[in-house]
Amino acid sequence: MNKKLIALLVIAPLLVSCSGQKKSQYHEEWVKDTNGFDILMGQFAANIENIWGINEVLIAGPKDYVKYSDSYYTRSHINFDSGSITIETIAGTDPMASLRQAIITTLLIGDDPGNVDLYSDANDIQISKEPLLYGQVLDNTGQPIRWQGRAASFADYLIQNKLQKRTSGLHVIWSVTIPMVPNHLDKRAHKYLPLVRKAAEEYGVDASLILAIMQTESSFNPYAVSNSDALGLMQVVQHTAGVDVFRMKGKWGKPSRSYLLDPANNIDAGTAYLSLLQKSYLGGIQDPVSRRYAVITAYNGGAGSVLRVFSSDKDRAFSLINGMSPNEVYQTLTTSHPSGESRRYLYKVNQAQRSYHRY
């Protein structure tokens, strides 16, 4: 969500209402923050490349939790899309101890990402009494893992029976891979249902649409980050949709990273932004199904880019859309939108939403 086109959509109306001084100040802060994030990412990637090698750089993403520890020599990777967990190490001294500790920590991480820095090797993960992966991973006896003792026993089993070894450059990489249960996606979706239903009722957005957006954006990964610094379950960007939502709530500025990484805040902000698209930016579309298609596409690429598919004149774009059937609107957006990502996004979210209508 919230690529460069959304920046134009959100920032433009904000700046029009500001004085020249505030306009300049806001733009400078936005550029400064963006440049700072780019520098951080570059330094982080360089640290990984220096230790693991250029072919082994792995960084967290919207559907991938990746956490380094042990001075970057050990890492945990949860692929929330495919449902697999890989823990691996290139530690030269006692690699099995490093691997064992990383397995235990990964199995017991909590669902609050606010205090975990995915862009460092800091050992800042606190073992939780309510692990994020509880019920999504079963040990060798078929039991879910909540406590450290069971996690440690499972780690010992994995190292003894599932240990893998490969080489990359000069490194020997030791690893174990843990499959998640087949319905892991549904289990995570169910976990966030109370928050989704609350936001749906408050903002007048279908719960099924919120869930479909969450699945498409992050596969219900609360640690989700992206190279555009989109954050959390619904991949909200501080400087664009975040600013717009804060303005809607009567607040100045932008939400912090820790604010958007909190699942409750993230779902609230993402749903509020959907309501803005639905009721304000694209409220001129009369048919609710056609408007839903436009809102989904706009969540990824911006409302302005959606309207320009039909006409460079906003009023004429609304008129043309209102003269089309919902199927014609869908076909136009999935074939004529200039962004291939946005074209695919509408298809993915629309397909996903069908499976959530029961909610």
Side-chain angles (χ1 to χ4, degrees):
M1 159 188 161
N2 302 324
K3 305 301 187 280
K4 292 181 180 178
L5 287 173
I6 272 192
L8 297 177
L9 163 69
V10 178
I11 293 174
L14 175 64
L15 298 186
V16 168
S17 64
C18 297
S19 68
Q21 180 179 3
K22 286 183 178 179
K23 182 191 302 182
S24 174
Q25 178 184 3
Y26 181 82
H27 178 72
E28 289 173 3
E29 289 176 353
W30 177 44
V31 171
K32 180 179 178 181
D33 286 350
T34 302
N35 290 343
F37 179 74
D38 289 343
I39 291 170
L40 169 65
M41 288 295 292
Q43 292 173 339
F44 181 59
N47 288 337
I48 299 167
E49 181 181 332
N50 288 338
I51 293 174
W52 286 78
I54 192 169
N55 295 323
E56 292 290 339
V57 175
L58 184 61
I59 296 176
K63 300 182 179 183
D64 295 273
Y65 166 98
V66 180
K67 178 66 176 123
Y68 287 83
S69 59
D70 193 23
S71 300
Y72 291 100
Y73 282 85
T74 303
R75 66 187 178 195
S76 301
H77 175 202
I78 306 172
N79 186 319
F80 286 97
D81 196 28
S82 67
S84 66
I85 304 165
T86 301
I87 297 106
E88 50 192 357
T89 186
I90 55 173
T93 303
D94 203 355
M96 294 307 107
S98 297
L99 199 62
R100 182 179 188 273
Q101 184 56 51
I103 294 169
I104 296 170
T105 302
T106 303
L107 291 172
L108 298 178
I109 58 170
D111 59 0
D112 179 7
N115 296 321
V116 178
D117 184 1
L118 296 180
Y119 299 129
S120 79
D121 67 330
N123 294 320
D124 52 357
I125 299 175
Q126 297 181 358
I127 291 176
S128 172
K129 293 181 180 178
E130 294 293 334
L132 171 65
L133 297 175
Y134 182 75
Q136 299 173 55
V137 177
L138 303 179
D139 69 7
N140 53 299
T141 67
Q143 297 299 312
I145 303 161
R146 186 190 295 273
W147 308 113
Q148 188 160 355
R150 186 174 291 278
S153 296
F154 189 36
D156 291 335
Y157 167 83
L158 290 168
I159 291 172
Q160 292 170 12
N161 297 278
K162 302 294 182 180
L163 185 65
Q164 297 176 319
K165 176 183 177 183
R166 63 185 176 91
T167 58
S168 179
L170 300 176
H171 295 300
V172 174
I173 302 176
W174 300 95
S175 69
V176 297
T177 298
I178 309 167
M180 298 169 74
V181 296
N183 63 337
H184 61 93
L185 193 70
D186 287 341
K187 285 185 174 292
R188 289 195 302 281
H190 186 78
K191 183 172 187 174
Y192 296 114
L193 265 182
L195 295 175
V196 168
R197 286 173 173 156
K198 177 183 177 182
E201 182 177 353
E202 179 173 353
Y203 296 107
V205 177
D206 285 346
S208 62
L209 177 57
I210 302 169
L211 290 164
I213 293 282
M214 291 168 68
Q215 176 182 321
T216 305
E217 291 286 353
S218 68
S219 285
F220 303 100
N221 168 23
Y223 289 84
V225 292
S226 78
N227 56 11
S228 62
D229 207 20
L231 300 168
L233 292 159
M234 297 187 73
Q235 287 290 274
V236 181
V237 176
Q238 296 168 273
H239 315 92
T240 54
V243 168
D244 219 20
V245 168
F246 261 31
R247 185 160 58 100
M248 169 189 176
K249 293 175 175 287
K251 299 179 181 180
W252 172 253
K254 65 180 189 291
S256 66
R257 287 181 61 86
S258 59
Y259 178 94
L260 288 178
L261 283 171
D262 177 88
N265 293 336
N266 191 276
I267 292 171
D268 178 85
T271 306
Y273 186 67
L274 283 171
S275 75
L276 282 173
L277 293 171
Q278 183 175 282
K279 299 173 184 177
S280 180
Y281 294 135
L282 299 170
I285 300 175
Q286 296 169 359
D287 186 274
V289 178
S290 294
R291 187 168 60 246
R292 178 170 63 86
Y293 293 150
V295 166
I296 291 170
T297 308
Y299 194 86
N300 177 263
S305 70
V306 167
L307 295 176
R308 285 192 294 273
V309 170
F310 300 90
S311 174
S312 58
D313 179 80
K314 182 175 73 171
D315 292 335
R316 177 164 171 74
F318 281 129
S319 179
L320 288 171
I321 293 171
N322 289 331
M324 302 171 103
S325 69
N327 186 60
E328 289 171 329
V329 172
Y330 179 87
Q331 292 300 322
T332 301
L333 289 174
T334 54
T335 59
S336 300
H337 194 288
S339 167
E341 179 182 328
S342 293
R343 295 194 299 269
R344 293 187 296 272
Y345 189 83
L346 174 54
Y347 172 79
K348 291 177 183 177
V349 174
N350 190 52
Q351 290 292 110
Q353 189 173 0
R354 294 175 182 176
S355 66
Y356 292 113
H357 281 308
R358 65 187 186 277
Y359 296 114

